[in-house]
Amino acid sequence: MRSDWLSPNPLHITDPLSSIKMKSKELKTYHKTLSELNNSFTHYNFIWEQFRIDYLEKIDLSHDTRMTTEVFEKNKVVETHKISMNKLEDEHLKTKSTLYEGIFVLIFTYFENYLKSLMKFAIQVDSNLLSIDSPITEDKPDKILIDKFFNRIDISKSELENELIETLDYLRLKRNRLIHKNAESISRSLRTLINGSGNNLNQYWNERLPKSLQGINFSSSENANFINWNILIDTINSMKGITFDIDELVIIKLSKRKIFNQIVLPEYLSMLKGRAKVTNIEKLIGSFERFSKTEYGLAIDDEMRNDIKSSVA
């Protein structure tokens, strides 16, 4: 299953209701977090570039042995970063590398948080589902989080495009590689994935992403060893696409009707508590429709409208 938003040639949809994609709040939270991470490294790059324009272009760093405390004596925190000016560029590169690696790790960590939150959301809709940490009796792969998630929500991983599963494997293994830097080379699992699926993944994402891959090269072992700006952008964009598709599978599995009954309507009715009794039902339904579309991307039907009326009668 592939969400249309990343397709190179999205379908032309004429029905205004069918163009609305329902999504969980958990997805919105994850994508908001990705945007915040993006803002973090764009802010850092902006500040450093402006610093370069204002100061470094006027200084010959290679021969400047003054200490930062001499050059930036008005800076209140300069004592915490007391180094020679000719080492400033190297320090910047180290800081940028650490920041980029940290953001990459956070992208995947927050993805795992999204899966855990989405599982809790699913259990709210269907109480028969197991929690993500509950043991299962079936003989299935169940060590990594994505397997635990699909096994407990009872969705086959085969319903997600294989390229998305392999991309998640690649990003997870690369995350592990960045965390365990002391290893001399990339893991056997990552190398096998690069050699066996790298070219196909490059083709897949070059076709799916609006601007194709800018930094990631799934077929390169060298590329798996480092992070730069464009790799972060590719990672964020690919994770958005993957989570859109996972979210859609979960919503189809749970059904919009059940989500409406167990989550959306109760949440809205809870918001009405303490307010004056509703007298204009049509106005109330209009308010609910706006809430439903804004918070969940859910376009309600006549049966749902009748349920709202009976709930406030």
Side-chain angles (χ1 to χ4, degrees), residues 125-181:
V125 179
D126 184 352
S127 60
N128 293 317
L129 295 173
L130 295 173
S131 69
I132 205 149
D133 295 318
S134 298
I136 58 171
T137 57
E138 293 89 342
D139 184 19
K140 298 178 179 179
D142 200 52
K143 291 184 178 180
I144 62 175
L145 188 64
I146 190 68
D147 288 336
K148 291 177 180 290
F149 175 80
F150 279 118
N151 289 341
R152 284 152 188 76
I153 208 164
D154 196 25
I155 295 176
S156 171
K157 281 173 64 174
S158 64
E159 294 188 46
L160 202 65
E161 288 182 288
N162 187 57
E163 287 84 356
L164 302 187
I165 297 297
E166 290 183 330
T167 300
L168 286 175
D169 285 341
Y170 175 90
L171 296 175
R172 175 178 57 83
L173 292 168
K174 178 163 182 165
R175 185 270 310 265
N176 295 347
R177 168 65 178 160
L178 293 175
I179 291 174
H180 305 290
K181 283 184 173 182

Side-chain angles (χ1 to χ4, degrees), residues 3-4 14 18 21 30-31 33-34 38 88 98 106 123 128 180 183 192 205 240 248 251 271 284 300 303 309 313:
S3 298
D4 293 337
T14 55
S18 67
K21 288 277 189 180
Y30 180 57
H31 286 187
T33 301
L34 291 180
N38 176 76
L88 200 58
T98 301
L106 283 175
I123 291 171
N128 293 317
H180 305 290
T192 299
W205 286 109
K240 282 183 177 180
E248 189 171 358
I251 286 170
M271 291 169 52
L284 174 71
I300 66 173
E303 185 178 356
K309 291 178 182 179

Side-chain angles (χ1 to χ4, degrees), residues 22-26 117-127 129 250-251 254-271 288 291-292 295-298 300 304 308:
M22 187 177 183
K23 53 190 175 294
S24 68
K25 279 190 173 181
E26 288 69 22
S117 299
L118 189 59
M119 191 71 235
K120 291 178 181 178
F121 166 81
I123 291 171
Q124 283 185 275
V125 179
D126 184 352
S127 60
L129 295 173
V250 170
I251 286 170
L254 298 173
S255 86
K256 292 182 179 181
R257 182 69 206 181
K258 285 185 179 179
I259 296 172
F260 170 84
N261 289 337
Q262 300 297 324
I263 302 290
V264 184
L265 182 56
E267 184 179 332
Y268 183 75
L269 293 176
S270 177
M271 291 169 52
F288 177 82
F291 165 81
S292 178
E295 298 299 323
Y296 293 94
L298 173 63
I300 66 173
M304 293 175 182
I308 299 168

Side-chain angles (χ1 to χ4, degrees), residues 40-41 44 94-104 232:
S40 294
F41 65 78
Y44 174 81
K94 291 177 186 177
T95 300
K96 184 168 72 170
S97 176
T98 301
L99 177 64
Y100 283 7
E101 289 175 5
I103 288 174
F104 183 90
L232 284 178

Side-chain angles (χ1 to χ4, degrees), residues 45-82:
N45 279 342
F46 167 77
I47 294 298
W48 176 260
E49 184 58 29
Q50 191 59 49
F51 179 77
R52 180 189 298 280
I53 293 170
D54 292 342
Y55 294 101
L56 302 191
E57 289 183 355
K58 303 171 185 177
I59 301 172
D60 182 5
L61 284 182
S62 60
H63 297 94
D64 194 337
T65 58
R66 290 177 299 167
M67 303 301 291
T68 50
T69 48
E70 297 177 58
V71 180
F72 306 110
E73 57 184 14
K74 292 183 179 180
N75 190 314
K76 294 180 180 179
V77 296
V78 70
E79 290 290 343
T80 65
H81 197 61
K82 187 176 180 180

